[in-house]
Amino acid sequence: MNDSGSFFSRWTHQHLPTKWWQVALIGLFGLLATGVVILTLIALILTPTLPSLEDLSGAQLKVPMRVYTADGELIAEFGEEKRIPVRIGEVPEMLINAVLAAEDRSFFYHHGVDFAGILRAGLHNLRTQSTSQGASTITMQVARNFFLSPEKTYTRKIKEVLLAFKIERELSKQQILELYFNKIFLGHRSYGFAAAAQIYYGKTLPLLNLPEMAMLAGLPKAPSRDNPLTNPENAYERRNTILKLMLNNGFIDEAAYSEAIETPLAAAKHTLKSDTAAPYVAELVRQYMIQTYDEKTYAGGFHVYTTLNSKYQQAAVKALRTGLLEYDRRHGYRGPAGHVSIKSEPDKERLDDVLKDYRVIGYLLPGIVFKVEKDKVHVYTQDGAIVETEWGGLSWARRYVDENTLGPAPKQATDILKAGDIIYLEAIEDPQQLKDIGLWRLAQIPDVAGALVSLRPDDGAVLALTGGFDFSHSSFNRATQAERQPGSSIKPFIFSAALDKGFTAASTVSGAPIVMDGGDSPEEEWRPEDYNRKFYGPTRLRKALAQSLNLVAVRLLRAIGVTYTVKHMERFGFDPAKIPRNLSLALGTVSATPMQMVSAFAVFANGGYRVTPYFIARVEDANHTILEQARPAVVCRECETSAVDMSSNTAQWSSKPATAPPANLAGGQDQPAYAPRVLSVETSFLMASMMQEVIRAGTGRGALVLGRKDLAGKTGTTNDYRDAWFSGFNSEVVTTAWIGFDQPLSLGRAETGGRTALPVWIDFMRTALEGIPEKPLTPPETMVRITINSETGKPTTPDDPQAMEEFFVEGTETPQSLPGLDGETTTETMPEKVPENIRERLF
């Protein structure tokens, strides 16, 4: 027993280490071996849970949806993440160097993991008993951003390491860098360096200078703490740290470094500016995309091309804003937007602080008056400039009392403004106005609202649409949502119903006074009047439409019947539920939106076909593969039948991928849809001709300023001047303009469609008609031209002093029986002279 013990002692003494350092070395080796075994086991357990990299190189980034005009101008961008994908070859080498210096200087030498950095971070975390510090390489950050949660735990870190190895095995270094430059979060909703360059500097990557690149390269570590907009001091320090690292790594020389660290930050919030202002259409697109693509809308990188013409759209926005401001000036100045106490010399820092609560609205620039002289004021504007507004830009500002009353004309600037007033200024661009007004004009945000919408008559494509003065001020889209009474704009539809029922443009109808009995309550008597409160004898329909005579329209409606007229109006797309079943219909008591009105007038513009408005031409995915292509019903005059189709039509869509332009009338895989004819070619021609008379000699003659003979249209004014309309067209463009208050109120005396809405239409059409040759209205072969007496409407000889020519459908040029205007069928005869102020009861 003792011998055995002695043998064991001798063996251990001879073979096992006896010195302390040997024991320590063996223990350390054992710990390392144990660690390797444990890590191997962990790797074996976690590796099957790692996500697949199958599609990583072509990973779908969360790219915002972008909306364009038909000619490719950017309208809007929608997305939770601001991102502009770039190829690594498009990234400047200096920016790559800045990122490598800041994040991973050994990127091109390691295989996904920087072990020295991990050891350094691990020792720091052990000392501090935290998990606050990491040593992530660019590859590890790509792994985390694409696949893992951002939580800082050891389990996630191990997964990150394993995934980094996997990424390095399957992707090239250039592919990894490209993913990083597009994916990393850099603050203020910007993801990727191209988006950050736009947000902070309003530049593309190639235009960045060295200090700007260093600033962006410093953001990945702490995009909030080191943000140049929210923490400029931290950002300045971090930027200079990156520049020092670039110097130490040989990416820049001493001269470049010295110059760069002295450069101010110069960062400011930049939003992606649209090329064309069409926010109301952009919102319509957004709503459609949400309904169709749900959560993919904001991250799928969709490209949506609308039907808008960028030139038309810009003209529409400008025309409506100009018209609303002109109306506003006619009705006086309601006073400054606010007031702040001010010293004789402006404290710019304080004024900037006050003005930050005000926004540019509809091109109107906020500013603070700091000095008032007799005939001008000095204003500090929101963009930091000091400008003068001269008397020509102030003299309009009589005090607003109510819609019909103004205060006395101001005699000097102090009658209008005082120092400290917060006001809005309108920049003057027109050369002639510059002479009379100066560079700036006092303005105010209009209380009145409006809309303008323009269509292509042959297929219903929306060429321009604006639903208000400024979308950011009011997102309510009056073009599509505001149901208002169209007033006399409804008359063409009543007159066309009469033509279809046998009346002619030469038929005469009395314009004598009408009193509709109120039964036992005389107060409820209905006494329709004409605008000028005059009474007329028998009046030809052409003249009655041109002069917008209400009393003629009421009698005409009674003669052809309300029920018949409602059915007739349904052909134009009017909602029968919104049409009154009484004679007030003749005065336009229908409810309709500007979009419905312009769609209805398109029937007259295109020769009698009903088209459905549409605003999306096509939808493409992030790779520009076409997902949806508009297939509108189009006018085809060569392939129509003679019958009038009472049915409606809708724009059709193809959801299958398309690689070619949409099928057209010349052929194609998909058969095009044809718009149905809802009005005969003869009635369409006569109505267009009669509405040309509205412009030649009627309530729309202000449009003569355009110098064209192919324009037609109709004014509209509702009771108490609550709404002002003008709808007009030629064969290429049909446009409706509306002005009124959101909560129906009087616009004021004399604010008719011809005065208030027509100028907006004119300003827009002046641009829309540029380059479009005049196209005379051509009568169909079934029409004849007859000489008639302008007073009686009866055929006459050319030597008659009151002779004029009129169009008739062949066979209707001779007097014939018409529906009775007093309840019975009568034959047209020479009318008797109607005494003035005759009282006629019409039941």
Side-chain angles (χ1 to χ4, degrees):
M1 194 76 177
N2 291 335
D3 290 340
S4 300
S6 298
F7 173 79
F8 181 75
S9 298
R10 287 194 304 271
W11 187 89
T12 56
H13 181 75
Q14 293 174 358
H15 294 87
L16 293 180
T18 56
K19 296 180 179 180
W20 69 267
W21 61 268
Q22 293 176 324
V23 174
L25 189 62
I26 291 173
L28 181 60
F29 179 78
L31 288 174
L32 289 173
T34 303
V36 169
V37 171
I38 292 172
L39 288 175
T40 302
L41 290 172
I42 292 173
L44 290 173
I45 293 170
L46 294 181
T47 298
T49 68
L50 295 178
S52 170
L53 302 189
E54 184 178 349
D55 298 318
L56 181 59
S57 59
Q60 182 66 50
L61 299 171
K62 290 185 177 180
V63 180
M65 174 180 71
R66 292 188 174 93
V67 184
Y68 306 90
T69 63
D71 46 334
E73 296 286 304
L74 180 67
I75 294 174
E77 179 183 271
F78 295 98
E80 297 174 0
E81 299 181 4
K82 302 296 183 184
R83 194 190 309 274
I84 305 173
V86 292
R87 296 294 183 187
I88 193 62
E90 300 168 358
V91 180
E93 183 179 0
M94 188 61 73
L95 178 58
I96 294 175
N97 292 338
V99 171
L100 293 179
E103 293 294 317
D104 190 357
R105 71 195 74 176
S106 60
F107 172 73
F108 284 105
Y109 306 103
H110 62 64
H111 297 286
V113 179
D114 181 358
F115 288 104
I118 289 178
L119 182 60
R120 184 172 57 252
L123 292 173
H124 175 273
N125 292 341
L126 285 173
R127 285 197 307 269
T128 60
Q129 295 296 302
S130 71
T131 59
S132 61
Q133 183 170 315
S136 295
T137 64
I138 284 177
T139 310
M140 294 167 69
Q141 291 181 57
V142 168
R144 179 170 64 250
N145 278 283
F146 270 96
F147 297 110
L148 303 175
S149 66
E151 60 180 346
K152 290 188 175 182
T153 64
Y154 288 110
T155 300
R156 192 225 63 191
K157 180 61 71 174
I158 293 171
K159 282 187 173 184
E160 195 175 295
V161 170
L162 296 173
L163 194 54
F165 284 134
K166 190 174 183 179
I167 290 172
E168 289 274 351
R169 286 197 307 270
E170 300 188 22
L171 300 180
S172 70
K173 289 289 187 180
Q174 294 299 315
Q175 288 175 308
I176 295 169
L177 272 181
E178 185 172 299
L179 291 170
Y180 179 81
F181 271 82
N182 283 308
K183 180 71 175 178
I184 196 72
F185 175 63
L186 298 172
H188 285 274
R189 296 174 59 197
S190 63
Y191 288 78
F193 282 86
Q198 172 64 46
I199 291 292
Y200 297 117
Y201 297 110
K203 296 181 179 181
T204 58
L205 292 180
L207 297 180
L208 295 173
N209 59 36
L210 175 59
E212 292 166 346
M213 291 181 186
M215 178 70 259
L216 296 181
L219 286 173
K221 184 177 180 181
S224 297
R225 186 191 66 199
D226 297 332
N227 193 279
L229 303 183
T230 53
N231 292 294
E233 292 181 0
N234 287 358
Y236 183 80
E237 182 180 343
R238 175 66 175 162
R239 183 203 69 178
N240 289 349
T241 298
I242 303 304
L243 289 168
K244 185 66 173 178
L245 289 170
M246 294 180 73
L247 175 65
N248 294 341
N249 284 275
F251 294 137
I252 58 174
D253 58 25
E254 189 68 41
Y257 169 74
S258 299
E259 181 182 353
I261 60 172
E262 296 299 325
T263 305
L265 281 181
K269 184 68 176 287
H270 294 78
T271 56
L272 187 63
K273 293 183 179 179
S274 62
D275 300 317
T276 300
Y280 292 96
V281 174
E283 175 60 16
L284 292 174
V285 170
R286 188 192 69 83
Q287 291 173 8
Y288 170 79
M289 295 296 288
I290 286 290
Q291 292 171 2
T292 307
Y293 297 96
D294 199 20
E295 73 278 357
K296 295 180 182 178
T297 298
Y298 298 129
F302 293 107
H303 301 274
V304 183
Y305 289 85
T306 67
T307 58
L308 296 184
N309 178 303
S310 60
K311 184 179 78 169
Y312 289 14
Q313 180 63 28
Q314 290 164 5
V317 171
K318 184 177 180 181
L320 182 63
R321 286 177 175 173
T322 299
L324 295 177
L325 289 171
E326 286 179 351
Y327 168 86
D328 217 44
R329 287 194 296 273
R330 286 199 296 272
H331 290 268
Y333 189 52
R334 297 186 300 277
H339 186 82
V340 61
S341 60
I342 193 170
K343 299 176 183 178
S344 56
E345 288 299 323
D347 178 352
K348 293 185 178 181
E349 186 174 339
R350 178 169 175 263
L351 297 185
D352 285 338
D353 187 61
V354 172
L355 288 173
K356 76 178 189 302
D357 295 328
Y358 294 83
R359 294 181 295 103
V360 174
I361 297 177
Y363 305 148
L364 302 185
L365 180 66
I368 299 177
V369 178
F370 67 88
K371 184 179 180 181
V372 182
E373 299 182 25
K374 182 178 180 181
D375 59 354
K376 64 182 176 182
V377 297
H378 300 258
V379 182
Y380 180 79
T381 66
Q382 192 180 61
D383 56 9
I386 293 176
V387 302
E388 293 181 359
T389 304
E390 300 174 2
W391 184 245
L394 298 169
S395 58
W396 69 268
R398 297 173 66 181
R399 182 172 57 87
Y400 170 84
V401 178
D402 59 38
E403 70 273 15
N404 295 313
T405 312
L406 294 173
K411 297 179 180 179
Q412 55 189 10
T414 52
D415 294 339
I416 305 166
L417 298 169
K418 58 182 179 293
D421 283 345
I422 302 171
I423 63 172
Y424 286 91
L425 295 177
E426 176 190 5
I428 303 302
E429 299 176 351
D430 181 77
Q432 183 57 48
Q433 288 188 329
L434 283 172
K435 296 178 184 178
D436 302 331
I437 297 171
L439 292 173
W440 298 94
R441 176 162 52 198
L442 176 66
Q444 58 192 351
I445 300 170
D447 283 343
V448 71
L452 183 145
V453 58
S454 183
L455 306 182
R456 185 164 55 224
D458 278 0
D459 69 351
V462 177
L463 300 175
L465 184 151
T466 181
F469 185 75
D470 186 281
F471 183 83
S472 64
H473 184 61
S474 171
S475 60
F476 180 64
N477 190 342
R478 295 154 191 88
T480 60
Q481 295 176 287
E483 291 191 344
R484 304 299 288 256
Q485 293 186 2
S488 293
S489 291
I490 211 69
K491 288 189 173 83
F493 307 99
I494 295 171
F495 279 53
S496 64
L499 294 180
D500 271 2
K501 199 140 187 177
F503 283 82
T504 72
S507 298
T508 57
V509 177
S510 173
I514 296 171
V515 178
M516 293 292 291
D517 237 347
D520 297 332
S521 177
E523 293 82 7
E524 294 182 5
E525 285 185 340
W526 184 50
R527 300 169 180 263
E529 296 178 323
D530 286 312
Y531 169 70
N532 57 15
R533 304 207 171 175
K534 292 182 179 179
F535 302 112
Y536 297 82
T539 307
R540 288 177 296 108
L541 292 192
R542 178 180 291 273
K543 181 179 179 180
L545 185 65
Q547 301 299 325
S548 197
L549 300 183
N550 292 335
L551 298 174
V552 170
V554 172
R555 282 191 172 84
L556 188 63
L557 176 60
R558 179 178 180 271
I560 61 177
V562 172
T563 301
Y564 164 78
T565 303
V566 171
K567 286 290 185 184
H568 179 84
M569 290 176 62
E570 285 184 53
R571 302 186 200 174
F572 296 84
F574 289 103
D575 183 354
K578 304 290 179 64
I579 304 176
R581 266 52 174 191
N582 54 57
L583 295 181
S584 71
L585 170 59
L587 307 186
T589 55
V590 181
S591 290
T593 65
M595 180 67 84
Q596 289 171 322
M597 291 301 295
V598 75
S599 175
F601 271 87
V603 175
F604 299 126
N606 64 32
Y609 303 86
R610 181 172 169 201
V611 294
T612 299
Y614 70 103
F615 54 87
I616 296 177
R618 67 183 185 276
V619 178
E620 299 177 355
D621 65 13
N623 298 316
H624 292 284
T625 300
I626 297 178
L627 303 177
E628 294 185 86
Q629 180 80 52
R631 306 287 183 189
V634 298
V635 171
C636 180
R637 296 172 183 85
E638 294 78 19
C639 47
E640 67 175 22
T641 61
S642 59
V644 175
D645 187 351
M646 296 288 290
S647 64
S648 63
N649 65 293
T650 57
Q652 298 179 358
W653 289 78
S654 173
S655 59
K656 62 182 180 181
T659 56
N664 54 38
L665 299 185
Q669 243 184 344
D670 296 305
Q671 289 297 318
Y674 298 130
R677 175 174 284 285
V678 295
L679 202 61
S680 69
V681 63
E682 294 83 6
T683 299
S684 299
F685 168 80
L686 282 172
M687 287 307 306
S689 172
M690 291 165 70
M691 280 188 276
Q692 284 186 345
E693 194 75 15
V694 172
I695 290 177
R696 278 195 296 266
T699 56
R701 55 187 173 272
L704 291 172
V705 70
L706 294 174
R708 296 180 67 110
K709 297 179 180 179
D710 62 342
L711 300 178
K714 185 67 188 76
T715 54
T717 309
T718 58
N719 188 41
D720 199 25
Y721 307 99
R722 286 188 174 94
D723 302 272
W725 296 80
F726 190 82
S727 295
F729 57 89
N730 70 359
S731 61
E732 302 295 324
V733 184
V734 56
T735 304
T736 290
W738 166 82
I739 289 180
F741 289 98
D742 285 336
Q743 298 300 320
L745 298 169
S746 175
L747 291 166
R749 281 191 297 269
E751 294 292 353
T752 62
R755 185 188 191 192
T756 309
L758 178 58
V760 175
W761 185 90
I762 292 170
D763 282 354
F764 169 76
M765 292 294 279
R766 183 178 285 114
T767 297
L769 295 171
E770 286 178 357
I772 298 178
E774 284 193 44
K775 187 176 180 181
L777 192 61
T778 305
E781 295 179 358
T782 51
M783 303 296 294
V784 295
R785 202 167 187 174
I786 301 297
T787 301
I788 64 168
N789 180 279
S790 61
E791 290 298 316
T792 66
K794 301 298 181 282
T796 188
T797 58
D799 58 353
D800 184 340
Q802 295 179 318
M804 62 170 287
E805 290 189 323
E806 182 57 271
F807 289 103
F808 294 84
V809 179
E810 195 170 12
T812 66
E813 62 270 25
T814 56
Q816 52 188 297
S817 295
L818 293 172
L821 298 174
D822 292 311
E824 298 176 1
T825 299
T826 61
T827 300
E828 284 188 288
T829 58
M830 283 293 270
E832 296 181 6
K833 182 175 176 58
V834 180
E836 290 188 6
N837 300 324
I838 185 171
R839 181 179 178 86
E840 175 184 325
R841 289 189 177 274
L842 181 62
F843 300 99

